[in-house]
């Protein structure tokens, strides 16, 4: 996919429900992230979690959750931060620039919907080198902090959100 493909971020809408339910990932990726159906169920229980859709030409190409809850404190001491959870790109769109483009759009999305936020943080498993490379190429930096998740050690990455 070249740069002319239209990638957009939008909050979850039930209009994409059938795409959400048919969204799958290879088993080797599922050990690092949750499927959108699972993540949305948690978002409905915890109001600080907001599901976000990654659209490519108006089709569901990826998914993540922005978490403003207490869990953020595990990743950063900074107030004014959001935690990215359950980030994934659907296999049909992997390797086509959709992931990088979606993360490049993230600062604009954050500025528009969360004007008091100045950084986003995430944990990436130390074995998940593909995700590490994507995050680093997209503007995230390693904070040299580590946390331990269900699949072991995670690097903590962050992206400063510059205000326009």
């Amino acid at each position: 996919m070249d740069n002319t493909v239209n990638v957009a971020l939008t909050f979850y809408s039930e209009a994409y429900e059938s795409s959400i339910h048919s969204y799958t990932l290879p088993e080797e990726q599922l050990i690092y992230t949750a499927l959108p159906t699972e993540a949305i169920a948690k978002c409905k229980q915890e109001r600080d979690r907001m599901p976000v859709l990654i659209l490519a030409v108006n089709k569901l190409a990826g998914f993540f959750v922005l978490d403003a809850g207490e869990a953020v404190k595990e990743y950063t001491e900074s107030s004014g931060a959001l935690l990215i959870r359950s980030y994934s790109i659907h296999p049909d769109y992997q390797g086509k620039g959709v992931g990088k483009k979606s993360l490049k759009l993230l600062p604009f999305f954050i500025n528009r919907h969360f004007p008091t936020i100045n950084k986003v943080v995430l944990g990436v498993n130390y074995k998940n080198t593909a995700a590490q490379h994507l995050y680093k190429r997209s503007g995230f930096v390693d904070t040299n902090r580590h946390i331990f998740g269900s699949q072991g050690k995670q690097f903590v990455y962050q992206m400063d959100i510059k205000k326009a």
Side-chain angles (χ1 to χ4, degrees):
M1 235 173 241
D2 62 57
N3 289 334
T4 63
V5 170
N6 186 18
V7 174
L9 302 179
T10 188
F11 287 110
Y12 165 75
S13 147
E14 289 185 5
Y16 290 91
E17 196 67 24
S18 65
S19 297
I20 292 288
H21 283 285
S22 63
Y23 192 104
T24 60
L25 290 168
E27 275 190 47
E28 63 271 14
Q29 293 175 15
L30 279 173
I31 61 174
Y32 301 124
T33 192
L35 286 171
T37 50
E38 300 162 12
I40 289 168
K42 281 194 176 183
C43 291
K44 289 178 180 176
Q45 295 169 349
E46 297 181 34
R47 294 292 174 200
D48 288 331
R49 294 184 183 208
M50 295 143 288
V52 180
L53 307 179
I54 301 166
L55 304 178
V57 195
N58 293 320
K59 289 191 167 48
L60 182 63
F63 177 85
F64 63 94
V65 171
L66 291 173
D67 187 344
E70 289 297 308
V72 176
K73 294 177 182 170
E74 270 187 78
Y75 297 79
T76 182
E77 294 171 7
S78 172
S79 60
L82 288 174
L83 171 63
I84 295 178
R85 295 180 172 274
S86 305
Y87 183 90
S88 68
I89 299 296
H90 188 278
D92 291 350
Y93 295 92
Q94 291 178 11
K96 298 177 179 177
V98 172
K100 186 175 180 185
K101 208 165 192 181
S102 73
L103 293 171
K104 291 288 188 186
L105 291 171
L106 191 59
F108 303 102
F109 187 80
I110 300 286
N111 280 332
R112 180 174 178 205
H113 298 287
F114 306 95
T116 61
I117 296 300
N118 58 31
K119 73 174 62 171
V120 289
V121 294
L122 57 83
V124 58
N125 191 284
Y126 79 102
K127 292 179 184 173
N128 192 351
T129 56
Q132 292 168 34
H133 293 300
L134 170 65
Y135 294 134
K136 286 180 179 177
R137 284 193 320 262
S138 302
F140 281 85
V141 295
D142 188 343
T143 65
N144 295 316
R145 293 181 65 176
H146 303 103
I147 60 166
F148 287 87
S150 61
Q151 296 299 318
K153 184 177 175 180
Q154 295 185 356
F155 299 113
V156 175
Y157 286 6
Q158 78 178 27
M159 176 191 283
D160 291 331
I161 303 298
K162 304 206 175 14
K163 301 298 174 191

